[in-house]
Amino acid sequence: MAHTDNVLETRALTHCYGRKRALDSLTLAIPREGIHAIVGANGAGKSTLFRVVLGFQAPDAGESMLLGSPSHHLTPALRGRVGYVNDAHTLPAWLRLKSLIAMQRSLYPRWDEAVLSRVLGYFAVSRSARVRELSRGERAGFSLAIALARQPDLLILDEPTLGLDVVAKRAFMEALIHSAQAEDATIIYCSHQMDEIERLADTLIILERGKLANYSAPDDFTERVRLWIADMPFKGPDPASIPGLLQVRRLDGLFHYLVLDQGDGFGNWLKAAGALSIRQQRVNLDQAVSAFLSAGHAAPN
């Protein structure tokens, strides 16, 4: 794979766990700068992608690069240019924050104390406190502060607000937004929280069963999904015959159809199928992504 200016790149990347393909010939390129959200149902391949690209697992086929270098040849210096925050926020419970900060400062020559102080300012934590004394939200904020103080070229956030209460989540998001505006790091943000993605992301990347299912701006993806509400006689048309159908529900006697990539002509299709009345509504990102990911999965009758 030739060197590029992308922070992350894969080509026909495949990784299997037994007979299950966690990554299935995935070709993906994420450019420098901006915030890029990766979403997908459980088992879509998000965590496996990170492990392979970061060089912790070898793929079964294909290639991957991180910051312009092959994933299987990442040097310690290059790894030092990557910040990583996951949902566990695992830190040595017995250490005081000031000791952890001193250790991190000694390991990363690009350390920025001002960034650390600015991010910690969003969370009421004392540097004299031990990790075990912190709430989950405070540990999340401390993990973010350390990751950003390293001045990474790439910051990977894997479900960082999972399990946080409303106050902690707000503090985390505010710290991230203001830091992203001030720093040059490219951010890859993995989350199931569509409100966060709608607020933050420049790019929406959807993985489905190890394949790339969407790569666009969040607003562009939302525009592809439309909700049509129709008064249909009897049971309505066979769902298998409905073009672009993602989801169908019946509420108060009306059929609610969420469809993908169907223009105004879908209204004509509904009329031809017997609709007595129809109307169209826009959807938000959460509705669009949820319907897209649920399509084709087993659902209760």
Side-chain angles (χ1 to χ4, degrees), residues 150-227:
R150 298 171 185 170
Q151 296 193 76
D153 294 324
L154 171 63
L155 176 62
I156 298 175
L157 302 173
D158 191 1
E159 296 282 359
T161 63
L162 186 67
L164 301 191
D165 61 34
V166 173
V167 175
K169 185 182 294 187
R170 182 184 299 116
F172 189 98
M173 297 304 295
E174 291 299 324
L176 177 61
I177 289 170
H178 290 112
S179 296
Q181 292 172 346
E183 309 302 322
D184 293 329
T186 303
I187 297 175
I188 297 177
Y189 194 94
C190 182
S191 176
H192 292 291
Q193 305 297 318
M194 291 303 113
D195 58 329
E196 298 176 4
I197 290 174
E198 201 161 24
R199 185 179 182 187
L200 286 175
D202 302 299
T203 307
L204 175 67
I205 298 164
I206 301 179
L207 298 184
E208 181 70 9
R209 296 185 176 94
K211 294 179 177 291
L212 181 62
N214 181 78
Y215 188 106
S216 70
D219 287 346
D220 290 344
F221 178 76
T222 303
E223 286 294 320
R224 295 176 60 195
V225 179
R226 282 288 183 272
L227 171 63

Side-chain angles (χ1 to χ4, degrees), residues 208-255:
E208 181 70 9
R209 296 185 176 94
K211 294 179 177 291
L212 181 62
N214 181 78
Y215 188 106
S216 70
D219 287 346
D220 290 344
F221 178 76
T222 303
E223 286 294 320
R224 295 176 60 195
V225 179
R226 282 288 183 272
L227 171 63
W228 291 81
I229 301 173
D231 182 2
M232 302 290 297
F234 308 110
K235 293 183 178 180
D238 180 1
S241 71
I242 301 175
L245 181 66
L246 296 176
Q247 186 181 90
V248 58
R249 301 174 66 192
R250 192 171 188 180
L251 300 172
D252 298 327
L254 299 177
F255 286 85

Side-chain angles (χ1 to χ4, degrees), residues 255-270:
F255 286 85
H256 292 236
Y257 299 104
L258 276 167
V259 295
L260 178 71
D261 294 334
Q262 303 299 311
D264 292 338
F266 186 76
N268 295 329
W269 188 93
L270 287 173

